[in-house]
Amino acid sequence: EYMGAIVLTTEMVSAFEPEVEVVVVGNRHYRRVVGTKYTQINSAVPPPEQFVAEELGSGELDDANDGVCVFGGVQQDDEDEVIAYERDDEQLNIVERDGQFTLTFPLPSQYFRFLIGAHGATRKEIEKEHKISLKIPNVDSKEQTIVIRGNDRLSILSAKKQIDEIVAKSTKKIPFTHFISIPVTDPSIREAVISWQKNSLERFQSVAGFEKSIMNKPEHLHLTILMLRLLTEEQLERAKRLLTQIRTGILQVLSHQPLTLQLKAVNVMDCDPQTANVLYAEVDVGSDLRLQDLGEFVIKRFREHGFVSPDIDPNVRFHATIANTKYRERDALEPAKPQKADGRNNSKQQRSRITFDATAIINAYQSHSFGSFQVKELLLSRRGEYDANGYYRTDAKIEL
């Protein structure tokens, strides 16, 4: 036995024919021996206990014991039943009462639809596979608590592992809720954008799909640094605190000097300008690298605190969107309805993404200038919600 775990070495040779039950916990398999015909070959090895939990197929070796497989976390309860679990799961508050085990844990409601599945199929599959009952609130409920009940700890743990895997896989399917941006509020820039929109619509009115409804509202102009999924009030409060805390570091990145940016030239976000969806104004910083350094610093800090994926590209493609086909015909639609608790929109009407040929447009405005402005603040704002001034509703800001 090594630090409370069963240790098997290549010198410990034994032969027995077990009757086993395999339990899956995440990507690991645990075999519980329920009966044994045992023949001892090495007398130094004691006979196995009545029940043994053995980890299969992981191939993991303990670094401190080369050649020795360590099956960690094996415990034996009062009823001589051995339960194998990973050390991280020791923090789970599994409550036992009258032979029934219960695990209650918080989960943002945006994940509920993925756990329920079509017509409840996913929940039924989890319950059947792990022999547990799974309580999930309605997707429109304000309650954000999942309850797993079962007859043994292993069933609870294996169900929790599967839920964790579903949550991890489905996260990218949940829309972003917030973003950190540099707002473009300079009146001269906004007037220049309005002038460009009017001029380009008159000049290229023959371009199919290039029309007024796809134009971005000037009061929405901004440079995005980072997109975020803040699904709970606790996550939002953490993000607000973090933005405030990193202000000193941002000022150091900027060398405590003003940062002035110029918006010039019109370009297309898509690879093929003949099937364009998004036009944007480029950000010209000349030889000043502080804007890119600012973006990388913010992303790094939010990544360190678990708000973004570790593999996110810190090289921000700064731009100010001036036209987007996702806005098409928005004026003819009803005002955007609030999102459901699961992150979906109540409206079933889909906005058309009819592309347009932007080749002539970007060629005509490749030297166009919208003017310059000074970066004065960073905002943490909500997507799809607006304040009285027309900008996105802001939850936190830092002045620079």
Side-chain angles (χ1 to χ4, degrees):
E1 188 171 346
Y2 177 78
M3 297 182 66
I6 299 175
V7 181
L8 304 180
T9 69
T10 55
E11 288 76 25
M12 297 179 179
V13 184
S14 61
F16 57 90
E17 300 176 8
E19 297 177 9
V20 300
E21 175 186 4
V22 177
V23 180
V24 180
V25 181
N27 59 357
R28 299 170 185 255
H29 293 70
Y30 293 90
R31 185 171 64 188
R32 182 180 351 203
V33 181
V34 296
T36 305
K37 296 180 180 179
Y38 178 79
T39 302
Q40 184 174 329
I41 298 177
N42 188 335
S43 60
V45 184
E49 298 292 334
Q50 179 66 27
F51 298 99
V52 178
E54 180 183 2
E55 183 178 30
L56 304 175
S58 69
E60 294 181 338
L61 299 179
D62 181 21
D63 293 336
N65 297 276
D66 192 19
V68 180
C69 286
V70 180
F71 305 125
V74 180
Q75 284 190 337
Q76 186 170 1
D77 65 12
D78 295 338
E79 300 171 353
D80 290 334
E81 180 182 14
V82 177
I83 299 175
Y85 60 91
E86 296 182 57
R87 293 188 183 278
D88 290 344
D89 293 324
E90 295 178 9
Q91 305 302 320
L92 296 176
N93 185 25
I94 300 178
V95 178
E96 179 186 6
R97 184 175 181 180
D98 298 330
Q100 184 83 1
F101 295 85
T102 303
L103 172 61
T104 303
F105 59 94
L107 186 70
S109 58
Q110 289 87 344
Y111 290 104
F112 291 173
R113 63 188 175 105
F114 301 105
L115 296 181
I116 296 172
H119 307 292
T122 302
R123 172 166 52 189
K124 293 175 183 177
E125 178 183 338
I126 296 173
E127 292 179 327
K128 181 178 179 180
E129 179 176 349
H130 305 288
K131 297 180 176 60
I132 53 91
S133 66
L134 181 59
K135 180 183 177 182
I136 305 173
N138 186 281
V139 293
D140 294 322
S141 172
K142 293 183 179 180
E143 185 180 354
Q144 298 190 340
T145 301
I146 301 294
V147 180
I148 307 175
R149 291 188 175 91
N151 294 324
D152 61 77
R153 294 180 184 274
L154 266 181
S155 298
I156 300 292
L157 289 175
S158 59
K160 178 63 165 61
K161 289 293 184 182
Q162 184 173 356
I163 291 173
D164 290 344
E165 291 172 359
I166 293 173
V167 167
K169 291 178 181 179
S170 59
T171 294
K172 291 185 178 181
K173 299 178 182 179
I174 296 176
F176 291 106
T177 60
H178 294 72
F179 64 101
I180 297 176
S181 71
I182 299 171
V184 182
T185 58
D186 189 285
S188 63
I189 297 285
R190 291 186 175 182
E191 288 299 322
V193 170
I194 294 174
S195 176
W196 175 86
Q197 291 176 341
K198 181 179 179 181
N199 177 274
S200 61
L201 287 171
E202 292 176 352
R203 186 174 178 181
F204 296 100
Q205 57 183 307
S206 62
V207 175
F210 184 68
E211 42 89 19
K212 184 178 180 180
S213 72
I214 71 171
M215 296 298 174
N216 192 16
K217 293 183 178 180
E219 57 267 30
H220 293 175
L221 288 175
H222 65 276
L223 311 181
T224 300
I225 297 177
L226 179 64
M227 302 296 294
L228 296 168
R229 292 182 181 89
L230 305 178
L231 306 180
T232 66
E233 285 299 320
E234 187 271 338
Q235 291 176 343
L236 175 59
E237 290 302 318
R238 284 178 51 222
K240 290 164 60 176
R241 289 195 300 268
L242 179 57
L243 182 62
T244 302
Q245 292 167 359
I246 65 176
R247 178 178 180 273
T248 300
I250 291 175
L251 292 176
Q252 292 175 348
V253 168
L254 298 178
S255 301
H256 296 274
Q257 297 296 320
L259 177 61
T260 300
L261 307 177
Q262 182 180 10
L263 295 184
K264 59 181 296 185
V266 174
N267 212 332
V268 61
M269 185 65 69
D270 314 84
C271 295
D272 185 358
Q274 293 183 332
T275 56
N277 277 303
V278 178
L279 291 180
Y280 66 90
E282 296 181 353
V283 181
D284 185 9
V285 296
S287 59
D288 193 340
L289 301 178
R290 290 181 298 160
L291 177 62
Q292 193 62 44
D293 292 341
L294 166 62
E296 292 180 3
F297 179 82
V298 172
I299 291 175
K300 180 180 179 181
R301 290 296 177 266
F302 274 78
R303 182 172 56 198
E304 290 173 347
H305 287 76
F307 285 101
V308 294
S309 172
D311 58 358
I312 187 174
D313 187 357
N315 296 312
V316 182
R317 185 179 179 180
F318 285 102
H319 65 279
T321 299
I322 52 180
N324 194 326
T325 60
K326 76 177 182 180
Y327 306 142
R328 189 180 303 282
E329 300 298 333
R330 64 183 174 193
D331 294 336
L333 298 175
E334 295 180 0
K337 297 180 179 180
Q339 290 184 333
K340 292 183 178 182
D342 62 2
R344 296 175 294 172
N345 196 285
N346 283 317
S347 175
K348 294 182 179 180
Q349 189 170 10
Q350 298 295 319
R351 294 178 178 177
S352 174
R353 293 299 297 262
I354 301 174
T355 63
F356 61 96
D357 187 349
T359 305
I361 300 173
I362 60 177
N363 287 336
Y365 296 104
Q366 59 183 343
S367 299
H368 187 79
S369 177
F370 294 93
S372 301
F373 70 100
Q374 183 177 325
V375 177
K376 296 182 178 181
E377 57 187 1
L378 260 60
L379 306 182
L380 172 62
S381 304
R382 303 190 179 200
R383 296 186 67 207
E385 298 184 29
Y386 306 95
D387 60 23
N389 297 319
Y391 193 72
Y392 298 88
R393 177 182 168 186
T394 298
D395 285 303
K397 71 176 182 178
I398 54 174
E399 296 182 352
L400 304 178

